[in-house]
Amino acid sequence: MSAYVVSNFIIYCIINAFTPGPGNILALNTTNVYGWLKGKPLFFGIFVGYFVVQVICGLFVFFMGAAFPELLLIIKYIGILYILWLAFNIATSKPQEATTTQSASFLKGFLASQP
């Protein structure tokens, strides 16, 4: 892997880590409800889960692109369709009923960061 690819990947991960998303909103809500000390395990679980997913996705795309360059075009269009499907489901979703209060843990944060 070239330094160019790795540097672009790291920049992407840093920018994406600070943009609003479900993990950031969950971390904000948890620290608001439980405080920083009790919400810290969940926060670090989200961080580790996000890091693991990004590394796995980055390696998968890199090796697939190296082995099958023509496959990247197909993967790109599948990704476009998936994002459009997500946008449609978010736009047409209805609010969920409030659930009981749960504790904040590293495992819950790690699993919450997964798509």
Side-chain angles (χ1 to χ4, degrees):
M1 228 186 269
S2 69
Y4 174 75
V5 171
V6 172
S7 64
N8 283 338
F9 178 70
I10 290 171
I11 290 169
Y12 164 77
C13 287
I14 291 170
I15 291 171
N16 200 20
F18 293 104
T19 57
N24 292 353
I25 293 170
L26 177 63
L28 175 67
N29 184 50
T30 301
T31 55
N32 187 33
V33 171
Y34 298 109
W36 169 248
L37 290 178
K38 290 186 179 179
K40 193 168 33 172
L42 179 85
F43 176 78
F44 287 121
I46 291 170
F47 174 77
V48 171
Y50 173 77
F51 179 76
V52 168
V53 167
Q54 293 301 310
V55 168
I56 290 171
C57 289
L59 290 173
F60 174 76
V61 170
F62 175 76
F63 288 119
M64 289 299 288
F68 309 104
E70 64 279 352
L71 190 61
L72 284 181
L73 185 64
I74 297 169
I75 291 174
K76 179 170 60 172
Y77 289 114
I78 291 172
I80 290 169
L81 291 173
Y82 177 67
I83 296 217
L84 290 173
W85 177 79
L86 281 176
F88 175 77
N89 282 319
I90 289 171
T92 59
S93 67
K94 297 182 182 184
Q96 294 180 341
E97 295 294 324
T99 58
T100 59
T101 306
Q102 299 176 354
S103 63
S105 68
F106 179 86
L107 182 60
K108 287 181 183 176
F110 182 83
L111 295 175
S113 66
Q114 311 307 312

